[in-house]
Amino acid sequence: MVQNSVSNYFSQQNLKLVGLTMIWLGYFLPWVPHHAAALSMGAYDLAAWVMLLPQVQDGSIAISRFHFLALMSLAIVLTFEVSLQGGVWRWLLLIVGLGIMMLMPSYPDILYFRTDLMVQSQIVLVGATLLMTVLLWYLRNRRWMKIVQAIIAALVGYGALRALLLIRPAVGILYGIMPKIGLGWYVTLLGCMFVFVSIIFDSRLRSNERE
């Protein structure tokens, strides 16, 4: 029985690591491909670019950069959780630190943090990400925390993936042709699914161990 529990734990961990790796890779791979490399955009590029779309500015497409930035926030928090295993996994803290730096408002936008609501909101997102890492530090072994993780992972992944589908027609107008859905979008989709399943599996495993 103990052997089965250990085997199940490592299977869950491997699935989560694969999913997390796919989220990081998918985030920076093209979501909007184009034959001109400068016009190909990943999720990180879309976070900065999406607010320039007239349809987003006038509210006809109800999304914002946070649909894409929240996905990086999720990846940061999950990577931090993996680093808590210690040993070689602590090197993942470098990725966590780099991710937080990328999540911060860019220069010169950050100079307007007192008056720009969007910049203020982005700083709040950074704060919320740091808060989640602290909560994971103390509560990562709680079953209810795993359930919260699964819900957040599902909502954040859905929000980012759906956001591309919503802006795709507007991007098609600018490009003169409807862009294909890029490889990064599909890789991120699979990554989010793997992470969600692994968290649910972990929650059930912990519940069975208590019983």
Side-chain angles (χ1 to χ4, degrees):
M1 174 133 179
V2 173
Q3 186 177 1
N4 288 336
S5 297
V6 172
S7 176
N8 289 337
Y9 173 78
F10 281 105
S11 297
Q12 175 269 332
Q13 281 294 97
N14 290 336
L15 184 61
K16 188 172 186 178
L17 287 172
V18 170
L20 183 55
T21 301
M22 293 179 73
I23 291 176
W24 277 113
L25 289 176
Y27 192 81
F28 293 100
L29 286 173
W31 285 36
V32 179
H34 196 276
H35 64 272
L39 296 178
S40 292
M41 292 180 287
Y44 187 69
D45 303 310
L46 287 170
W49 182 82
V50 71
M51 298 307 297
L52 300 177
L53 287 173
Q55 295 89 338
V56 173
Q57 293 178 352
D58 65 21
S60 58
I61 299 179
I63 66 167
S64 72
R65 66 179 62 174
F66 298 104
H67 285 80
F68 302 103
L69 291 178
L71 188 59
M72 175 179 280
S73 174
L74 173 68
I76 291 170
V77 172
L78 294 177
T79 303
F80 177 79
E81 183 183 23
V82 175
S83 74
L84 294 178
Q85 297 178 40
V88 69
W89 298 111
R90 290 178 181 172
W91 287 99
L92 290 176
L93 290 173
L94 294 175
I95 297 177
V96 171
L98 180 60
I100 291 174
M101 291 176 61
M102 297 180 70
L103 205 58
M104 289 289 293
S106 59
Y107 180 86
D109 292 347
I110 197 171
L111 298 178
Y112 305 99
F113 71 94
R114 293 184 178 179
T115 56
D116 193 321
L117 181 60
M118 194 63 63
V119 172
Q120 294 171 356
S121 300
Q122 194 167 338
I123 293 175
V124 169
L125 178 62
V126 174
T129 303
L130 294 173
L131 177 61
M132 283 300 299
T133 60
V134 173
L135 289 176
L136 272 178
W137 181 290
Y138 292 103
L139 303 173
R140 62 185 181 277
N141 293 322
R142 302 290 181 90
R143 183 171 179 265
W144 64 264
M145 175 58 80
K146 297 298 179 182
I147 296 174
V148 170
Q149 273 187 281
I151 294 173
I152 292 176
L155 292 177
V156 169
Y158 172 78
L161 295 166
R162 179 175 175 269
L164 175 67
L165 301 180
L166 291 176
I167 66 171
R168 192 165 162 243
V171 176
I173 294 174
L174 294 177
Y175 283 8
I177 185 174
M178 180 69 74
K180 297 180 180 179
I181 297 177
L183 176 63
W185 189 91
Y186 292 106
V187 173
T188 303
L189 172 62
L190 288 176
C192 289
M193 290 175 62
F194 287 166
V195 166
F196 177 79
V197 171
S198 71
I199 294 174
I200 293 297
F201 183 70
D202 186 30
S203 176
R204 293 185 61 183
L205 181 62
R206 291 176 187 275
S207 178
N208 292 336
E209 287 177 351
R210 289 181 180 180
E211 294 175 359

